[in-house]
Amino acid sequence: MRQNTELNGTADAASVRTEAAPGAPAVKKQSAGQVVLENGMNLLFLICGIIAVGFVLCITIYLVVSGLPAIFKIGPIKFLFGTTWAPTASTTEPSYGILPFILTSVYGTAGAVLIGIPIGLLTAVFLAKAAPPKLAAVIRTAVQLLAGIPSVVYGLVGMIVLVPGIQKLFHLSSGATLLAAIIVLAIMILPSIINVSETSLRAVPKEYEEASLALGATKLETYFRVSLPAARSGIATAVVLGVGRAIGEAMAIIMVSGNVANMPGLLKSVRFMTTAIASEMSYASVGSLQRQALFSIGLVLFLFIMLINVLLNVFVKRGENS
């Protein structure tokens, strides 16, 4: 009898514990319609992701199929390391060397990044951490307007203002040079770097900065030693966007660089890979070797951008693991 009484008491106590507390919120069960809606939205997100990946695959396959034949016909060494581009030469054998285009694109992008990243990153730190709200709103609006300006307007202003200025400053016959292209590109990549970097810096948990300040660090030390490393992945994304904008720009660059197939020099007229494609694709005959070579330049440009993305991702992952 005593054992039965104890068992009954234990069962009653367990049943009491399983009952919901008076003030506890009730757990709502999803209805069948909600489950169907959630599954449908998940399927929609999956389809959108597959479509995005499909676009990348289609572009990759098209560039490979269109670009490889010319590389094999010309020869990879002659195509990639040749210094003369003369596809329409009549007195001599046509030449399809794109080394001047590759080096010009590399130098131009590197110069724009070296100028644009420090300015953009410091501006993002100022807007996200140090600027008064009213001043930050004014600067942020100006940056957004800078992002909305068409590239042809950048080229037009550069051609009217920057090119004559460089010509007079260095006493050149033409101011349309690699230097002018670098300056224009540096200005054009600023909005991408500033906006993405500022968003990443604002996403850093406040506890990180408060802990740093509590340990005796100054605000400046906290910004550069705590906030920036914590926002490393977002800043790397900003750099990738800036590099992609710089290396993929054509219209503004064709107006300020001179569009001449020279080996790169800071005060020489040059031609980028993008401007080579834009300037010759309109009159290259369909099916000709020249047109195929232009697709090959596009393939090289595409591979170059992919290589930059991979290197930056590896750099970010190493920084996170260290």
Side-chain angles (χ1 to χ4, degrees), residues 153-177:
V153 176
Y154 283 104
L156 183 63
V157 174
M159 186 174 61
I160 295 174
V161 178
L162 184 61
V163 170
I166 293 177
Q167 181 181 4
K168 293 179 180 179
L169 180 63
F170 295 100
H171 306 288
L172 303 173
S173 59
S174 174
T177 58

Side-chain angles (χ1 to χ4, degrees), residues 6-299:
E6 292 177 352
L7 291 174
N8 293 333
T10 304
D12 293 339
S15 63
V16 171
R17 285 196 299 268
T18 57
E19 292 179 358
V27 179
K28 295 182 179 180
K29 294 184 179 180
Q30 289 184 337
S31 63
Q34 291 176 333
V35 173
V36 172
L37 178 61
E38 184 174 352
N39 292 335
M41 293 303 298
N42 290 334
L43 180 61
L44 178 62
F45 295 151
L46 177 61
I47 293 173
C48 292
I50 293 174
I51 291 175
V53 175
F55 285 154
V56 175
L57 291 177
C58 291
I59 293 173
T60 304
I61 293 172
Y62 181 79
L63 286 176
V64 170
V65 172
S66 302
L68 284 181
I71 296 177
F72 289 139
K73 289 180 183 178
I74 300 168
I77 303 299
K78 290 183 178 180
F79 183 72
L80 296 175
F81 299 101
T83 58
T84 303
W85 175 265
T88 58
S90 57
T91 57
T92 60
E93 183 180 356
S95 300
Y96 297 92
I98 67 168
L99 184 61
F101 305 156
I102 296 176
L103 294 180
T104 299
S105 297
V106 172
Y107 293 168
T109 303
V113 167
L114 288 176
I115 297 174
I117 286 181
I119 297 175
L121 195 56
L122 292 176
T123 304
V125 173
F126 178 71
L127 291 176
K129 302 298 180 182
K134 292 183 179 179
L135 180 59
V138 173
I139 297 176
R140 196 174 293 113
T141 302
V143 172
Q144 293 173 355
L145 290 175
L146 197 65
I149 297 176
S151 59
V152 66
V153 176
Y154 283 104
L156 183 63
V157 174
M159 186 174 61
I160 295 174
V161 178
L162 184 61
V163 170
I166 293 177
Q167 181 181 4
K168 293 179 180 179
L169 180 63
F170 295 100
H171 306 288
L172 303 173
S173 59
S174 174
T177 58
L178 178 60
L179 178 60
I182 289 175
I183 295 174
V184 171
L185 287 176
I187 297 173
M188 293 181 68
I189 67 176
L190 283 178
S192 301
I193 297 175
I194 293 173
N195 290 331
V196 179
S197 297
E198 183 191 358
T199 303
S200 302
L201 288 169
R202 289 185 178 277
V204 175
K206 295 293 183 182
E207 292 80 4
Y208 291 3
E209 299 175 358
E210 292 172 355
S212 176
L213 294 173
L215 291 174
T218 64
K219 289 186 177 181
L220 195 62
E221 290 174 339
T222 300
Y223 297 156
F224 286 96
R225 296 187 178 183
V226 176
S227 300
L228 283 178
R232 184 187 295 110
S233 60
I235 294 173
T237 302
V239 173
V240 170
L241 292 175
V243 171
R245 177 74 187 274
I247 198 172
E249 181 55 44
M251 183 55 66
I253 300 307
I254 202 172
M255 300 172 71
V256 299
S257 64
N259 198 28
V260 180
N262 293 326
M263 291 296 288
L266 194 61
L267 299 178
K268 293 171 60 177
S269 296
V270 292
R271 178 182 291 182
F272 288 67
M273 284 191 285
T274 52
T275 58
I277 298 173
S279 60
E280 297 190 15
M281 185 63 75
S282 60
Y283 63 82
S285 302
V286 178
S288 64
L289 184 59
Q290 179 185 4
R291 191 178 185 88
Q292 293 176 356
L294 295 176
F295 280 107
S296 300
I297 295 175
L299 176 61

Side-chain angles (χ1 to χ4, degrees), residues 232 316-322:
R232 184 187 295 110
V316 171
K317 289 181 179 179
R318 284 184 178 179
E320 292 175 350
N321 295 331
S322 60

